[in-house]
């Protein structure tokens, strides 16, 4: 039976490249001159630590980071921005967690969307992915098109297409 997996994976090397490009861009921007702006990437914890002087620069920093992610072929939805916190030196900092995998709640939502289409396919949650099986590849392709059309909180990739 044909099948495929719906997953949410992040290429950590591409994230690292995007952060390096964002750092270079910030170092050359006039509005960030003489500011204490830092971007650190903790690969093991999959967290990006961002700190700067004020909230306005933080928003500009997020915009630069999102732009660089898009240029590297990554979806900005992979970043889960936490709330701003003041630092002891008068600046602000923020942590951005990388979303990877499909949690149970999102998996249930994806299965519910697939079942609402009333196609002859079965969807089941397996760890941090959703496996979709069906009798025809056309049904599977219409499921992929439907999921691509939905605006979910996490970016989705479709892998292991077997016929």
């Amino acid at each position: 039976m044909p099948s495929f997996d719906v997953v949410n994976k992040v290429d950590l090397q591409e994230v690292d490249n995007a952060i390096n490009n964002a750092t270079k861009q910030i170092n050359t921007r006039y509005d960030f001159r003489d500011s204490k702006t830092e971007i650190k990437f903790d690969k093991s914890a999959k967290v990006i630590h961002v700190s700067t002087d004020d909230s306005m620069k933080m928003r500009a920093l997020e915009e630069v980071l999102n732009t660089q992610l898009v240029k590297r072929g990554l979806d900005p939805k992979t970043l889960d921005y936490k709330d701003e916190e003041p630092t002891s030196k008068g600046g602000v900092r923020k942590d951005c967690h990388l979303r990877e995998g499909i949690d149970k709640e999102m998996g249930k939502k994806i299965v519910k969307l697939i079942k609402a289409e009333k196609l002859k396919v079965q969807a089941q949650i397996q760890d941090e992915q959703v496996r979709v099986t069906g009798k025809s590849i056309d049904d599977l392709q219409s499921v992929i098109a439907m999921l691509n059309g939905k605006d979910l909180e996490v970016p989705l990739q479709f892998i292991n297409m077997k016929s």
Side-chain angles (χ1 to χ4, degrees):
M1 268 186 129
S3 67
F4 69 90
D5 295 330
V6 181
V7 296
N8 175 20
K9 291 189 178 184
V10 179
D11 186 358
L12 294 179
Q13 185 60 49
E14 288 297 328
V15 172
D16 192 34
N17 292 342
I19 290 170
N20 290 337
N21 290 344
T23 304
K24 286 179 188 175
Q25 185 176 349
I26 286 163
N27 289 337
T28 60
R29 280 181 56 159
Y30 181 76
D31 55 341
F32 283 97
R33 186 164 288 141
D34 299 328
S35 71
K36 298 177 185 102
T37 302
E38 240 181 7
I39 304 175
K40 293 181 184 174
F41 182 41
D42 185 1
K43 281 188 178 182
S44 60
K46 296 180 182 171
V47 177
I48 302 170
H49 304 285
V50 181
S51 63
T52 190
D53 293 341
D54 55 38
S55 295
M56 187 178 79
K57 287 184 179 149
M58 182 63 76
R59 285 191 299 275
L61 196 58
E62 287 176 19
E63 186 67 34
V64 168
L65 192 56
N66 286 342
T67 303
Q68 291 302 325
L69 283 172
V70 169
K71 283 184 180 179
R72 301 299 300 180
L74 299 169
D75 196 326
K77 289 190 237 176
T78 58
L79 294 182
D80 182 20
Y81 290 102
K82 300 300 178 189
D83 293 333
E84 277 185 16
E85 303 170 352
T87 62
S88 60
K89 297 178 182 176
V92 291
R93 72 170 170 241
K94 187 182 271 196
D95 289 341
C96 311
H97 295 273
L98 291 175
R99 293 181 184 161
E100 197 167 42
I102 297 175
D103 60 349
K104 293 287 184 194
E105 182 181 312
M106 182 54 65
K108 288 179 183 177
K109 188 174 181 179
I110 291 171
V111 169
K112 188 176 179 182
L113 287 171
I114 292 171
K115 287 186 178 183
E117 287 293 305
K118 301 206 189 269
L119 294 170
K120 293 185 179 182
V121 295
Q122 292 82 36
Q124 57 191 23
I125 301 170
Q126 298 179 343
D127 293 331
E128 293 189 342
Q129 66 184 19
V130 176
R131 165 124 340 134
V132 181
T133 57
K135 288 187 178 180
S136 92
I137 291 181
D138 294 337
D139 289 341
L140 297 180
Q141 289 174 340
S142 45
V143 168
I144 291 173
M146 182 270 303
L147 288 175
N148 278 334
K150 300 291 181 183
D151 187 29
L152 300 172
E153 296 95 56
V154 295
L156 300 177
Q157 292 88 33
F158 308 100
I159 61 170
N160 294 340
M161 182 70 137
K162 297 174 185 167
S163 54

